[in-house]
Amino acid sequence: MTQAHGGQPLDSKDGPTRDERGVLRDEQRILYVLALTCLPFWVVDALSVPHWPWDTLALRLGWAGLTAGLGWGLEWVELPVRRHMRTAAGMVLPHLFLGLVVHRLGGVDSPLFSWFCVLPVVALSVSRGQLWQGVLSTGLAVVSAGAVMGVDGTPPARMLTWLLLLLGAGGVGMQLSFFYQRLRQARVKAEEQRLALQAELVESQARVLQAERLAAVGRLAAGVAHEVKNPLAYVQANLRFLLEEGRQTASDADDTEYSEALHETMQGVERIHQIVKDLTALSRADETVEGVARCELAPIVDASVRLASVRLKSLVKLAVEVPGEAAVLAEPRRLGQVLLNLLLNAADAIEDAKVQDGRVAVRVAVVGDRVRVMVEDNGPGVLAEHLPRLFTTFFTTKAPGKGTGLGLALSRQYVESFGGTLGVENRPEGGARFTVDLPGA
Ligand code: ADP
């Protein structure tokens, strides 16, 4: 988006935007008004001398014509030239023509001479609070009035008095200019702060929403897990009984096949039991925040990997390297959610890019008093232009309905609440690497 900064539109490669056009129209309007206002003052010229001053009328027409012409021409030039044209029409021309008019009306003895003192203040209307333009206007008034007095042969003492008066008027103009500029800057800053606060509010509302959603999913998962737990318990008990029975009556090859089938069924049921347990543990994360405490990393990684493997197994080969002694300061269930989110994101990336030989690895390294958990994949990696926005709320490249763009933002918030960091980089060999850096315990 293009914004007007301190009244100056930003340069745009694609022609003027709506903001720029608004600023341009304002500038043109100011110059047309300036052109028009110099004409009625001819009445003052006429009243200040005993004859009709047709020469100053011609000068004023020339002045008005040039100012209006420059105003009209603003829309045909680029921004830097526009600035010069505005300065020429609003500062140089008034001083030049006023000098000529005053000279024609009798020089320093003309009542219009005092108008030089007003010009630096008038210049404020075109300077838009820029200090250097106030300085330029004062300088021009001094030069122009000095030239008129020089041509008239004004005595030095009188000349000095006028020049000091002019400098005083210029000083007031510059002070006003300075305050105006400060006012504008304060307004721009206040607007920026308002927008930043608004964005922060939207972000935190989104996080609350996501946390609530997780909690709702968690409650549902806990309910399902609870319902599954009881039938699972008697299926396990009955399987154990059948296994025991089979062992006692085992005599021939048929029985061996029978007991192998039972063993396999038992393994499957045990796996279901473990998943239900992990799910119950994870789902409680949003009901009870236990607080940051020392926790062994291996069981947390194992639980997340087990849950994720329900989805990962069919897609990728999973490698896990966790030194047994690694322990961190964290809130275990939330850390579990973070790892699960990273693993599921890796699966999505690999699936979306249709990578044939998909691989995901979870590696843990103890570095001094920090513990680094890296979740790596051989998916497409993250586009360079997406990297700075990846952890921003609502940033997603997934199809509508599939991605919310909240997972990484919430994960980073969780990790930071443990005193850790969550970062991402592209691996040189391809794919993404997410690193959770946590305080060791
Ligand atoms: P969501 O998964 O709902 O899109 P996230 O905050 O979890 O929200 O992820 C934001 C975005 O980060 C994803 O849409 C995806 O573009 C990118 N991303 C996350 N993980 C990976 C990854 N392992 N490889 C490539 N891109 C990823």
Side-chain angles (χ1 to χ4, degrees):
M1 196 178 86
T2 309
Q3 291 175 355
H5 283 265
Q8 305 296 338
L10 291 179
D11 284 352
S12 155
K13 285 191 188 96
D14 315 317
T17 62
R18 210 136 45 108
D19 278 356
E20 285 178 340
R21 270 200 300 278
V23 174
L24 176 69
R25 296 275 167 264
D26 274 357
E27 289 174 354
Q28 285 185 312
R29 219 167 292 139
I30 289 172
L31 293 190
Y32 293 151
V33 170
L34 266 182
L36 281 178
T37 44
C38 73
L39 290 176
F41 280 94
W42 181 69
V43 178
V44 180
D45 298 357
L47 289 173
S48 69
V49 286
H51 57 272
W52 290 110
W54 301 116
D55 50 351
T56 66
L57 180 61
L59 282 170
R60 282 183 182 278
L61 283 170
W63 177 1
L66 277 174
T67 307
L70 283 170
W72 175 77
L74 286 183
E75 65 187 280
W76 308 106
V77 293
E78 294 294 318
L79 191 68
V81 184
R82 223 161 83 189
R83 272 192 210 127
H84 295 314
M85 282 166 70
R86 215 177 58 206
T87 307
M91 307 245 174
V92 182
L93 289 185
H95 288 96
L96 177 70
F97 277 95
L98 184 69
L100 293 170
V101 168
V102 169
H103 173 64
R104 298 299 304 163
L105 295 174
V108 76
D109 293 326
S110 162
L112 265 94
F113 187 84
S114 55
W115 198 245
F116 276 116
C117 294
V118 183
L119 275 190
V121 182
V122 173
L124 262 181
S125 61
V126 282
S127 73
R128 293 176 167 266
Q130 284 170 350
L131 204 57
W132 71 268
Q133 297 208 1
V135 176
L136 178 70
S137 172
T138 308
L140 285 169
V142 168
V143 170
S144 185
V148 171
M149 289 188 284
V151 171
D152 283 3
T154 310
R158 197 160 173 220
M159 205 163 162
L160 190 67
T161 313
W162 270 115
L163 291 180
L164 287 176
L165 270 175
L166 274 173
L167 285 174
V172 172
M174 280 186 275
Q175 225 169 2
L176 285 175
S177 191
F178 176 70
F179 287 133
Y180 182 56
Q181 193 179 32
R182 290 273 291 268
L183 211 67
R184 285 182 72 94
Q185 281 169 350
R187 218 178 55 188
V188 170
K189 207 167 151 196
E191 182 61 12
E192 279 170 3
Q193 277 170 348
R194 191 185 67 79
L195 290 176
L197 279 176
Q198 210 173 17
E200 229 171 82
L201 189 71
V202 169
E203 210 165 286
S204 68
Q205 276 170 343
R207 283 181 190 177
V208 168
L209 208 75
Q210 170 76 346
E212 275 170 6
R213 228 174 60 166
L214 276 180
V217 172
R219 275 195 295 276
L220 190 71
V224 171
H226 184 73
E227 291 299 317
V228 171
K229 222 159 56 188
N230 288 340
L232 204 61
Y234 61 72
V235 169
Q236 257 178 322
N238 289 352
L239 273 174
R240 252 183 242 117
F241 168 74
L242 289 175
L243 265 173
E244 198 52 40
E245 283 287 295
R247 217 171 279 138
Q248 279 167 15
T249 57
S251 53
D252 54 22
D254 276 357
D255 285 334
T256 318
E257 269 178 39
Y258 172 79
S259 85
E260 266 174 17
L262 273 184
H263 261 295
E264 266 177 33
T265 315
M266 189 66 186
Q267 276 167 6
V269 168
E270 264 161 15
R271 188 163 152 63
I272 294 174
H273 180 71
Q274 188 59 53
I275 288 173
V276 166
K277 252 171 72 184
D278 293 340
L279 207 57
T280 318
L282 189 84
S283 64
R284 268 191 252 123
D286 295 288
E287 287 172 14
T288 48
V289 177
E290 289 175 339
V292 175
R294 180 186 188 279
C295 44
E296 305 273 327
L297 204 50
I300 299 173
V301 173
D302 280 351
S304 305
V305 164
R306 260 195 312 267
L307 277 178
S309 63
V310 175
R311 171 153 161 65
L312 288 177
K313 232 176 186 175
S314 58
L315 281 170
V316 301
K317 275 205 195 90
L318 193 66
V320 182
E321 285 171 26
V322 187
E325 75 282 2
V328 293
L329 285 175
E331 206 283 297
R333 288 179 189 136
R334 289 203 155 165
L335 181 57
Q337 282 187 342
V338 170
L339 297 178
L340 182 61
N341 186 41
L342 296 180
L343 287 165
L344 295 180
N345 269 350
D348 284 344
I350 284 172
E351 189 181 39
D352 290 350
K354 300 192 173 60
V355 176
Q356 290 304 318
D357 172 31
R359 269 169 287 125
V360 174
V362 183
R363 295 183 213 288
V364 173
V366 182
V367 186
D369 58 351
R370 310 286 294 181
V371 177
R372 228 173 260 165
V373 187
M374 287 163 284
V375 179
E376 303 171 342
D377 63 66
N378 67 339
V382 183
L383 287 178
E385 64 261 35
H386 290 167
L387 279 171
R389 294 157 60 206
L390 219 62
F391 297 92
T392 317
T393 321
F394 298 133
F395 177 80
T396 180
T397 56
K398 295 177 189 168
K402 198 172 174 200
T404 58
L406 292 167
L408 286 179
L410 199 68
S411 296
R412 180 174 265 186
Q413 191 188 335
Y414 283 172
V415 172
E416 284 176 357
S417 74
F418 316 147
T421 58
L422 170 59
V424 62
E425 62 190 328
N426 281 320
R427 299 161 68 221
E429 56 271 54
R433 175 184 294 127
F434 285 83
T435 305
V436 185
D437 185 90
L438 292 166

